[in-house]
Amino acid sequence: GRRRDFIIQELKQKGVFHTKRRVIEIGAGTGMYLEKTIELAKPEQTEVYETALDWVNYLREIPPALANEIGIQ
């Protein structure tokens, strides 16, 4: 959505995505920020921690190729 795109653009302008080896997201929810972060930062490793059971179940439904890329097991 527009809000996500605005926030991502602000982070990009501040240099947040430059040469990051590892990305850790706590509370990934739908993964909408994580997806753009991976695209822009191209990290070597990504870790996702989610504590809300409903979001854990949602993240488990992510296609295996994407799950492997973002470190969901």
Side-chain angles (χ1 to χ4, degrees), residues 27-66:
T30 64
M32 69 178 171
Y33 291 101
L34 185 59
E35 183 179 1
K36 290 301 281 184
T37 298
I38 290 170
E39 177 185 318
L40 296 168
K42 298 180 182 15
E44 294 174 14
Q45 183 177 7
T46 305
E47 295 179 38
V48 177
Y49 298 93
E50 182 55 70
T51 59
L53 185 56
D54 53 339
W55 286 122
V56 170
N57 291 333
Y58 171 82
L59 291 169
R60 286 186 178 141
E61 298 300 318
I62 291 176
L66 178 59

Side-chain angles (χ1 to χ4, degrees), residues 1-13 17 31-37 39-40:
R2 284 190 283 173
R3 177 177 160 78
R4 180 207 63 185
D5 293 344
F6 173 78
I7 292 170
I8 292 292
Q9 188 60 35
E10 289 291 312
L11 293 170
K12 188 176 178 181
Q13 288 176 357
F17 302 114
M32 69 178 171
Y33 291 101
L34 185 59
E35 183 179 1
K36 290 301 281 184
T37 298
E39 177 185 318
L40 296 168

